[in-house]
Amino acid sequence: MKLIELQDVAAKAGNKYILKDLNWTVSRGENWVLFGLNACGKTTLLSIISGYKNASQGNIKLFNQEISVENRRELMKKIGFVSTSFFNQYYHQEIVLKMVLVGKQAALGLHNEVSDFEVRQAKKLLRLFGLERKARYPYQMLSKGQQQLVLIARALMGEPEVLLLDEPCDGLDIVAREKFLYLLKDLAQNYVQSIVYVTHQTEEILPIFNKVALMKNGTIHTAGDLRDILNDRTLSSFLEHDVHGIWYADRFFIQLDLNKENSNERQVSN
């Protein structure tokens, strides 16, 4: 089953295209890494897929259904979206427990009354992530790592089929990052059918991922099986630098060969 289908999707901010001519499909059982440099449109793409922003043009299908006014809210409930860069524009003084409860309604704020069962469910998720003592705290009083966990709890509150993670390790120290990546394995195995993980750090790519899409200049540059894409030749072409990569303990590390490039520049100048 196709969970996400994008055809010729574009998004504009004023007269500038953030996304353009973007085509991409995510099927059930696939866990994708969306890899790209800063400002290539990754957050905008996820916010469109999750329903929080609209595309300027193109066709979008979720779970084999075209998005419409009638089904938009129900489709949004099937997709969990985690992005501090997006939600930190809206959440500041909001109480943590209420933020998690909002996830059930696929909205930015509570529009309907919540049941006692939903409150217990939200508290259970906070307890799962070690945040039960922070339930009454304002969101902005939490650390960056704790904010990420609150947004994950918020996403899981709606029992989504797809989880979109927008650079979840950004700003985390090495201990918090490794704890989060350990948690990610459990999310993939027990909570959702598919994960889309946005990053610009290859060492965050875990064995749970089987697909990768390289994103550049607002579109998908290359996509396919992870082991076929993460290699020196493809990444060197994509990054426009000589790249050397190595797999170690099921993680992929890359290094740019800047010595060679600096040598070539000196030869040209001479």
Side-chain angles (χ1 to χ4, degrees):
M1 178 183 176
K2 294 179 180 179
L3 304 178
I4 302 169
E5 293 180 79
L6 308 176
Q7 294 182 335
D8 300 322
V9 169
K12 297 177 72 175
N15 294 322
K16 180 182 178 181
Y17 278 99
I18 301 174
L19 304 175
K20 191 173 183 181
D21 301 326
L22 193 146
N23 296 277
W24 187 35
T25 300
V26 175
S27 298
R28 177 174 289 165
E30 294 178 346
N31 289 323
W32 282 82
V33 172
L34 190 59
F35 179 80
L37 301 181
N38 289 334
C40 68
K42 302 184 297 295
T43 299
T44 298
L45 175 59
L46 294 197
S47 61
I48 288 173
I49 293 172
S50 59
Y52 287 97
K53 286 188 177 181
N54 295 317
S56 302
Q57 62 190 58
N59 185 47
I60 301 174
K61 286 185 178 180
L62 301 176
F63 311 99
N64 290 331
Q65 299 181 60
E66 291 192 14
I67 299 177
S68 66
V69 175
E70 291 76 18
N71 66 14
R72 184 185 186 92
R73 183 67 60 189
E74 290 306 311
L75 292 177
M76 286 178 67
K77 291 179 181 179
K78 295 184 178 183
I79 296 180
F81 181 32
V82 177
S83 173
T84 53
S85 65
F86 179 82
F87 287 110
N88 283 8
Q89 301 175 62
Y90 303 96
Y91 295 137
H92 304 285
Q93 293 291 341
E94 287 75 10
I95 299 303
V96 165
L97 180 60
K98 289 185 177 180
M99 284 183 58
V100 176
L101 287 166
V102 166
K104 195 74 172 181
Q105 300 179 14
L108 291 172
L110 283 173
H111 299 294
N112 302 312
E113 290 188 7
V114 296
S115 66
D116 291 340
F117 172 78
E118 289 171 339
V119 172
R120 289 194 299 270
Q121 186 181 12
K123 288 182 177 179
K124 182 179 179 181
L125 285 168
L126 289 173
R127 186 163 58 251
L128 174 66
F129 297 130
L131 294 171
E132 64 272 24
R133 294 185 179 181
K134 306 292 185 180
R136 301 294 177 183
Y137 277 49
Y139 176 71
Q140 68 178 14
M141 287 187 63
L142 304 185
S143 69
K144 188 72 177 288
Q146 290 171 334
Q147 289 178 353
Q148 292 282 21
L149 294 177
V150 168
L151 292 178
I152 292 173
R154 176 189 180 280
L156 295 180
M157 186 69 188
E159 301 178 352
E161 297 182 35
V162 178
L163 187 61
L164 308 179
L165 298 171
D166 181 22
E167 297 187 14
C169 292
D170 184 41
L172 303 187
D173 61 42
I174 188 169
V175 174
R177 184 188 74 171
E178 292 305 309
K179 285 183 176 181
F180 174 82
L181 293 176
Y182 182 82
L183 167 67
L184 188 59
K185 299 175 185 178
D186 184 51
L187 295 177
Q189 293 170 359
N190 300 307
Y191 287 91
V192 293
Q193 297 178 7
S194 185
I195 291 176
V196 175
Y197 185 97
V198 167
T199 185
H200 53 259
Q201 306 291 344
T202 60
E203 61 267 27
E204 295 175 14
I205 300 173
L206 303 178
I208 63 170
F209 295 105
N210 50 20
K211 297 284 186 177
V212 61
L214 305 182
M215 192 169 176
K216 188 175 186 177
N217 298 327
T219 194
I220 300 297
H221 179 275
T222 309
D225 291 340
L226 186 128
R227 291 278 178 163
D228 293 338
I229 301 295
L230 294 188
N231 57 66
D232 291 1
R233 186 178 71 175
T234 303
L235 289 176
S236 294
S237 173
F238 173 69
L239 295 173
E240 300 179 18
H241 288 279
D242 288 326
V243 169
H244 298 297
I246 184 172
W247 287 95
Y248 177 75
D250 285 327
R251 306 275 280 275
F252 188 68
F253 298 83
I254 65 173
Q255 182 177 21
L256 270 62
D257 190 353
L258 298 180
N259 289 328
K260 180 179 177 181
E261 293 182 14
N262 290 335
S263 176
N264 290 338
E265 289 177 0
R266 286 194 295 269
Q267 291 177 10
V268 171
S269 65
N270 291 333

